[in-house]
Amino acid sequence: MSEPTPGPGTVRTARLDLVPLAVAHAGEMAEVLADPALHAFIGGAPLSPPELRARYERLTAGSPDPAVTWHNWVVRLRAEDRLTGTVQATVTDGGRTAEVAWVVGTAWQGRGIAREAAGGLVGLLAARGVRTVVAHVHPHHAASAAVARAAGLAPTDRTEDGEVRWELRTASPDAPPDGLGSPAPG
């Protein structure tokens, strides 16, 4: 796992830039996320560019709940100067807990991009004082379970909405959290 590089909301890993989500990303991301196979475990269907634009407008506006902060990034593969997926963190509990998720377009799967992006995100969260990182993984989604494991999370015996809850405890309960500071877009 690479060390995240501090910057204006961008997380840099060995091969990737996690760039704060913007509405302008919707067109390219609609292509990245167009394969219906991406929805096999999460449900739904690919969104059209206008639908994805509307979703990104909601995400970049931020959570309507002041106790919840949304942080969303697009994943740019620097060597190809191309968006390949997304990562996100929903931060709650006064900055102590973050629920994370990732998705990488079918064309870029199997190259370690999700593993590197999720690792960079979890590293950022831990460095910023998040104490518990949570992900929910479908019990038959071996690739996503491998990403969670590589990012340091471990499966628990809990299931929520049919998905296994994975967790990572990052710091002692006495360490003061600082969350992610001011919210990144989305």
Side-chain angles (χ1 to χ4, degrees), residues 21-178:
L21 179 72
V23 175
H25 294 129
E28 186 174 355
M29 286 305 301
E31 293 175 26
V32 171
L33 303 174
D35 187 349
L38 286 175
H39 300 270
F41 292 106
I42 60 173
L47 298 178
S48 69
E51 291 168 327
L52 197 56
R53 182 175 307 283
R55 176 173 169 75
Y56 286 2
E57 286 172 354
R58 287 190 305 275
L59 290 173
T60 58
S63 171
D65 182 344
V68 175
T69 306
W70 295 340
H71 301 276
N72 296 276
W73 293 265
V74 291
V75 178
R76 180 173 299 282
L77 181 60
R78 282 193 304 277
E80 297 180 17
D81 192 26
R82 174 94 186 145
L83 298 182
T84 60
T86 63
V87 292
Q88 64 187 48
T90 300
V91 181
T92 60
D93 192 24
R96 290 181 291 275
T97 302
E99 185 166 335
V100 299
W102 49 83
V103 64
V104 170
T106 306
W108 297 275
Q109 291 179 1
R111 296 168 58 181
I113 293 171
R115 181 181 64 243
E116 186 174 330
L121 175 58
V122 169
L124 173 70
L125 294 168
R128 298 289 172 90
V130 170
R131 295 177 187 153
T132 304
V133 179
V134 175
H136 293 91
V137 177
H138 189 282
H140 301 298
H141 198 328
S144 197
V147 169
R149 186 169 281 108
L153 284 77
T156 69
D157 59 359
R158 293 176 52 190
T159 58
E160 297 170 8
D161 296 324
E163 295 182 321
V164 177
R165 180 181 171 104
W166 289 65
E167 289 185 4
L168 169 65
R169 302 288 176 164
T170 64
S172 83
D174 299 328
D178 73 355

Side-chain angles (χ1 to χ4, degrees), residues 3-13 18 124 127-128:
E3 291 293 323
T5 302
T10 297
V11 178
R12 190 171 171 91
T13 68
L18 310 183
L124 173 70
R128 298 289 172 90

